[in-house]
Amino acid sequence: MNRSARDLEHWLSRPLCCRYVLAEFKTLRLPIRDGAEVLDMSWRWALGLFKPGEYEVLGAWPAGAPSVDVAHDLHQRGLEHLTAVSADVGMDCASTFPDAVCWSSVGDPNITRVPPSGSFGPRRRAALRSAAATARRMQISINRAIKRRGPFADEAAAAAFLAQTLERADRRLYGT
């Protein structure tokens, strides 16, 4: 299914739920062909948990986009409240989402990360660990797809591929 860049851009800007328990931000590197050289372009994407076991891809942004712009985009699309935010390098969670409990997901990917001790009860912490595991599985799957398809002809082709891949991953979350 070949979709236009306009359709994919529309999908990435679709309305969101107003409340999420967690936004898990991850960074991807997409190889872009620049003449004889291949350069990496970084993109940030986010998975939202709105209730235990129910996830949705919140969107994707160039990694160089300021955190405040990402937060503004999410707010413009309907997100009003985040309880927790986990992010890898490059996302200033504390200033962007001041009411949320924030922590960094940087570190050993084999270690299950949990939010700061005492922030949540056992059921909420289990839901957050499950969301983090789902985001890690999606990240691995998306990285495999990028390796199979890349390097991309230009940034637009890479962005379109990422949007299409995230949309497919989002549909798999819902079993459609």
Side-chain angles (χ1 to χ4, degrees):
M1 171 189 228
N2 192 7
R3 308 239 342 248
S4 73
R6 183 184 205 113
D7 288 342
L8 295 170
E9 183 178 313
H10 177 73
W11 181 82
L12 283 173
S13 61
R14 74 199 183 290
L16 298 171
C17 180
C18 65
R19 299 180 76 79
Y20 287 86
V21 175
L22 171 72
E24 176 89 17
F25 287 88
K26 298 286 192 186
T27 302
L28 293 164
R29 297 197 189 291
L30 292 99
I32 310 293
R33 205 171 283 292
D34 183 20
E37 211 174 4
V38 175
L39 307 171
D40 279 339
M41 180 176 83
S42 295
W43 277 74
R44 181 182 303 133
W45 69 280
L47 178 69
L49 166 68
F50 50 94
K51 61 184 180 177
E54 294 194 26
Y55 311 99
E56 138 175 79
V57 174
L58 299 177
W61 307 267
S67 299
V68 69
D69 289 354
V70 173
H72 180 73
D73 175 56
L74 292 170
H75 181 74
Q76 288 296 109
R77 293 172 43 219
L79 191 148
E80 295 174 5
H81 180 75
L82 271 173
T83 303
V85 177
S86 175
D88 54 14
V89 176
M91 187 71 186
D92 178 10
C93 300
S95 65
T96 307
F97 304 104
D99 297 334
V101 174
C102 301
W103 68 95
S104 175
S105 61
V106 175
D108 185 348
N110 297 316
I111 296 174
T112 302
R113 297 169 320 278
V114 294
S117 180
S119 300
F120 301 107
R123 288 195 336 214
R124 176 70 51 95
R125 288 167 58 115
L128 295 175
R129 282 192 300 271
S130 174
T134 298
R136 273 194 307 278
R137 285 191 305 273
M138 288 178 67
Q139 178 89 354
I140 290 166
S141 175
I142 294 166
N143 277 326
R144 283 186 194 134
I146 290 168
K147 285 180 183 177
R148 282 192 307 267
R149 172 62 176 80
F152 301 94
D154 54 30
E155 290 183 20
F161 177 81
L162 179 58
Q164 190 173 28
T165 302
L166 286 170
E167 183 181 20
R168 267 191 239 120
D170 195 58
R171 283 195 315 257
R172 279 193 299 264
L173 288 170
Y174 287 107
T176 59

